[in-house]
Amino acid sequence: MKQLQDEITQALTKLDGGSEFHEDSWERPEGGGGRSRVLRDGAIFEQAGVNFSEVWGSHLPPSILAQRPEAEGHGFYATGTSLVLHPRNPYVPTVHLNYRYFEAGPVWWFGGGADLTPYYPFAEDAAHFHQTLKLACDEHHPEYYPVFKRWCDEYFYLKHRDETRGVGGLFFDYQDGQGVLYRGPNPKGEAANYSNQVGEPASRDWEDLFSFIQGSGKAFLPAYVPIVERRHGMEYGDRQRNFQLYRRGRYVEFNLVYDRGTIFGLQTNGRTESILMSLPPLVRWEYGYQPEPNSPEAELYDTFLKPQDWSNWTANQ
Amino acid sequence: MKQLQDEITQALTKLDGGSEFHEDSWERPEGGGGRSRVLRDGAIFEQAGVNFSEVWGSHLPPSILAQRPEAEGHGFYATGTSLVLHPRNPYVPTVHLNYRYFEAGPVWWFGGGADLTPYYPFAEDAAHFHQTLKLACDEHHPEYYPVFKRWCDEYFYLKHRDETRGVGGLFFDYQDGQGVLYRGPNPKGEAANYSNQVGEPASRDWEDLFSFIQGSGKAFLPAYVPIVERRHGMEYGDRQRNFQLYRRGRYVEFNLVYDRGTIFGLQTNGRTESILMSLPPLVRWEYGYQPEPNSPEAELYDTFLKPQDWSNWTANQ
């Protein structure tokens, strides 16, 4: 996980070319700590935050024990890397990645994923992101991508707006190599339906899953960097910038209202500055905003903020 | 409640002088509706939102029934007025007001309050706001202000920042004229302690409480308008504006992470645009910000974001 943080921050520093990451190391009094790295006012990134943390303790918080009673009476260890990149140019999408590992006595699991949040509708960007992640998944199991893609659409959803956060990607949790792939809260959703049709895949061991996590982590740069490279030079004006700042409000709404990691971190005395590093540096809200019909902004709402089969998109469809 | 919305929007239009309120009326399919009024880009207010709503139905949502089982099997009626004003000048504080009434069969109660969120530390503004609200309370019961002021400090608190939202004011809920005054969730807090010392005041009827609500509603303009009048002409620069935008982030964090009304509204298919009218029009987040020692910004943190006895503040203390 630490290595993933290193690889990604090195590559992003090179890509940005205008600023560098500053690191804060922190310790957790109850055990463990982390490294928060932030790049600000770069040539490409208005803000890029990449966190690594590794924490342990003698007993789990009650909220986790309620979900996983088998972990009662054991110490725990949890580690993860997460990032959120907020580019300045509205034609470059925001992106999020998180991979994490948890163990407590006999219980262990992996979780994580990556998802893309464009401001302007470029279908080839969404398709490239999904196809790259799908390839990385398919090397480990043919049903990972179709289940985790649907789980991502379900998770990154703003109910009060009836919008997905963006074009999605992958999301999964509680992966221990046993049982069905979908372990989320909605037994009647698309992800659960698909996962139930797949049934229980052959069991996979710790090394299999670790290798899958490594593979998806490594797929992040090839999934995202080419999109930055083809968009960051595009000219934009106040209209695009204002729309980007407005849409960033949805990122804030999602992270503060729905995101389990954010809410859990804030409620359990996590390091607030590291947790809220995901929030954009500048954000607008506007009462009653509606995109102009037939505009690129309307196309974003109509097509990119609803689940789509991006990995099968082709240029001449 | 509707009348309070009318009085306040008329007075604010006159005060602002540069823009006007636009109204959206909306209906709720299950019964009732509301009027949302927004003034934008005014001479004083960057955004001012004043909502009125009145809703009814044949059965309560399960989340309310869990709290108030006596209301089971009855229809309900709920009405309220709320406002949030975001001035442009960082020397003028943001303010929030909400008064609401609820009934279902034999059960009824009033709730509400008003609280002030300054960006720059003017003790006389905080004192004026509190003293004006205290006078309005004292006309109805001498223990209303001391209990509801403490309840306000408890409610408008950002745990993950260890900061109050601002200098507070009044907050109360479930007031039906019976029992102790504090009915909040924290039995060991300052508000509960004080309220327990007071004991159970003589019972008050619906008219008594309605008259108290009217009185506190009417106290809003004299509590807030003089502060606007003495601050809105003060010159400010980028430093003050940037600090205001940064502190507005706390308003967003509070409303989306902690505010029961906001979260309840979003989860129960309330009108999203009206609920989120409270969010500021432009907001900044900055990783790791710390105020400069001995600056006005540091004074805000040290004194104004902690509970203080503002109603007893005097200029020469």
Side-chain angles (χ1 to χ4, degrees), chain A residues 130-274:
Chain A
H130 274 268
Q131 285 158 0
T132 310
L133 295 179
K134 180 174 186 298
L135 275 178
C137 289
D138 288 353
E139 279 186 33
H140 298 272
H141 199 290
E143 300 297 356
Y144 282 165
Y145 175 79
V147 175
F148 300 157
K149 185 269 184 210
R150 285 169 173 84
W151 197 346
C152 191
D153 288 334
E154 175 178 302
Y155 183 78
F156 292 104
Y157 173 68
L158 289 88
K159 185 173 178 294
H160 65 282
R161 300 287 190 180
D162 190 18
E163 294 169 9
T164 55
R165 182 163 84 169
V167 297
L170 298 178
F171 181 87
F172 54 90
D173 208 354
Y174 306 117
Q175 296 301 305
D176 56 7
Q178 307 296 322
V180 294
L181 294 173
Y182 175 76
R183 306 283 189 91
N186 182 0
K188 291 179 176 168
E190 294 277 316
N193 285 346
Y194 185 92
S195 175
N196 289 336
Q197 279 168 31
V198 169
E200 299 197 6
S203 74
R204 286 134 293 132
D205 64 15
W206 193 95
E207 280 73 22
D208 289 335
L209 283 160
F210 181 67
S211 153
F212 162 58
I213 294 292
Q214 279 198 307
S216 359
K218 279 196 191 309
F220 170 73
L221 290 168
Y224 182 63
V225 173
I227 299 172
V228 177
E229 285 170 341
R230 67 185 174 229
R231 302 294 166 211
H232 82 89
M234 287 176 68
E235 279 186 38
Y236 64 92
D238 285 350
R239 171 185 174 143
Q240 289 77 25
R241 176 67 170 167
N242 281 332
F243 184 63
Q244 177 200 45
L245 298 185
Y246 175 77
R247 291 294 317 169
R248 282 178 175 176
R250 300 295 207 270
Y251 223 79
V252 175
E253 291 175 22
F254 182 83
N255 286 8
L256 297 183
V257 177
Y258 299 102
D259 188 58
R260 292 181 311 157
T262 303
I263 296 166
F264 176 79
L266 295 180
Q267 285 174 349
T268 55
N269 287 316
R271 186 173 184 266
T272 296
E273 289 294 334
S274 299

Side-chain angles (χ1 to χ4, degrees), chain A residues 24 160 272-273 283 287-288, chain B residues 24 160-161 272-273 283 287-288:
Chain A
D24 285 332
H160 65 282
T272 296
E273 289 294 334
V283 184
Y287 173 78
Chain B
D24 285 332
H160 65 281
R161 300 287 191 181
T272 296
E273 289 294 334
V283 184
Y287 173 78

Side-chain angles (χ1 to χ4, degrees), chain A residues 24 36 38 40 47 159-161 245-246 252-253 256-258 266-269 271-274 276-277 279-289, chain B residues 24 36 38 40 47 159-161 245-246 252-253 256-258 266-269 271-274 276-277 279-289:
Chain A
D24 285 332
S36 293
V38 190
R40 278 185 283 197
Q47 182 174 295
K159 185 173 178 294
H160 65 282
R161 300 287 190 180
L245 298 185
Y246 175 77
V252 175
E253 291 175 22
L256 297 183
V257 177
Y258 299 102
L266 295 180
Q267 285 174 349
T268 55
N269 287 316
R271 186 173 184 266
T272 296
E273 289 294 334
S274 299
L276 297 185
M277 230 161 77
L279 300 182
L282 194 65
V283 184
R284 281 176 64 233
W285 272 274
E286 181 180 328
Y287 173 78
Y289 170 82
Chain B
D24 285 332
S36 294
V38 189
R40 278 185 283 196
Q47 181 173 295
K159 185 173 179 291
H160 65 281
R161 300 287 191 181
L245 298 186
Y246 175 76
V252 175
E253 292 175 21
L256 297 183
V257 177
Y258 299 103
L266 295 181
Q267 286 174 349
T268 55
N269 288 315
R271 186 174 184 265
T272 296
E273 289 294 334
S274 300
L276 297 185
M277 230 161 77
L279 300 182
L282 193 65
V283 184
R284 280 177 64 234
W285 272 273
E286 180 179 328
Y287 173 78
Y289 170 82

Side-chain angles (χ1 to χ4, degrees), chain A residues 153 162-164 166-167 300-308 310:
Chain A
D153 288 334
D162 190 18
E163 294 169 9
T164 55
V167 297
L300 187 90
Y301 280 71
D302 293 343
T303 305
F304 289 69
L305 304 180
K306 301 181 190 334
Q308 306 289 352
W310 290 115

